[in-house]
Amino acid sequence: DLLPQQKKEMVILDIYVPEVRVDLMYAGNNNIYGERLYDSKLAFLRRGTAEKLRKAQEEFALQGYTLKIWDAYRPPEVQFKLWQAMPDARFVINPHQGYSLHSRGVALDVTLLDKNGNELLMPTGFDNFTTLADRDYKDIEETEAANARLLEEIMAKHGFRSIFYEWWHFIDQE
């Protein structure tokens, strides 16, 4: 087991959990802000969170799936830019009131890939701030709902909790 201080050390996710696929949405222009926000395409998480993610990925792999990471550690200055683009606390934590859990290295945004590397059908794409992205699943097709439930079930089993408004967002319960 990791010592408490080791759990808080930041690690490069695709080195620590090489089985996942990293595609940081904020390292490109296709995001809510409309421009590149990250200088690097490396994803970082706290070691303890990455360890939980490794266990979740192992279980997904048994079913033929791979986690795709859209966001992990987020620098505080990026949080301010996201708040400018979407000043709604249901979706973006107000950086004027405290740090996002992304900025602490314990939150991440993910989806699932099939064995051919294709994204599974999910309720929406990334950064969709409509009711289609929430977890009630009444307004989407059953395939998308079942895939999102599978993602949530396995992530929760390995120590992550979710939020209602974003099916892709998970937080390490530490």
Side-chain angles (χ1 to χ4, degrees):
D1 274 346
L2 296 171
L3 298 171
Q5 67 269 25
Q6 289 175 312
K7 289 181 181 182
K8 293 183 179 181
E9 294 171 353
M10 297 295 271
V11 297
I12 299 172
L13 191 53
D14 43 353
I15 292 174
Y16 199 81
V17 188
E19 300 81 10
V20 302
R21 172 139 176 252
V22 174
D23 184 13
L24 297 179
M25 298 302 286
Y26 300 128
N29 296 328
N30 187 18
N31 59 61
I32 190 73
Y33 197 72
E35 65 184 56
R36 186 174 178 207
L37 296 172
Y38 292 167
D39 293 331
S40 170
K41 293 185 178 188
L42 295 176
F44 296 89
L45 282 177
R46 284 188 183 181
R47 184 183 306 268
T49 303
E51 189 60 38
K52 291 177 183 181
L53 191 70
R54 180 197 322 255
K55 291 182 171 122
Q57 172 55 44
E58 288 170 359
E59 186 163 345
F60 284 121
L62 293 174
Q63 297 185 39
Y65 301 121
T66 301
L67 281 163
K68 181 178 183 179
I69 312 303
W70 282 331
D71 198 20
Y73 168 75
R74 180 183 301 155
E77 61 271 15
V78 172
Q79 190 70 22
F80 280 93
K81 289 180 179 180
L82 293 176
W83 180 252
Q84 287 174 348
M86 176 53 64
D88 184 332
R90 290 176 299 170
F91 306 110
V92 178
I93 295 297
N94 182 343
H96 300 284
Q97 296 178 348
Y99 280 104
S100 160
L101 293 172
H102 277 285
S103 297
R104 295 177 186 164
V106 296
L108 64 162
D109 300 328
V110 301
T111 192
L112 287 173
L113 302 175
D114 67 18
K115 63 182 185 222
N116 297 316
N118 301 309
E119 289 184 12
L120 295 188
L121 292 173
M122 291 292 187
T124 67
F126 181 65
D127 270 1
N128 180 307
F129 302 116
T130 69
T131 58
L132 294 175
D134 67 33
R135 292 183 186 271
D136 83 0
Y137 306 133
K138 293 178 183 154
D139 47 1
I140 61 167
E141 298 295 323
E142 183 50 40
T143 299
E144 288 88 339
N147 290 340
R149 285 187 193 107
L150 173 68
L151 177 63
E152 183 175 8
E153 175 187 317
I154 292 176
M155 292 295 284
K157 179 179 176 183
H158 294 282
F160 292 91
R161 64 182 169 85
S162 56
I163 62 173
F164 178 74
Y165 297 104
E166 298 175 351
W167 63 263
W168 59 82
H169 181 80
F170 293 92
I171 303 158
D172 181 356
Q173 298 182 80
E174 297 183 84

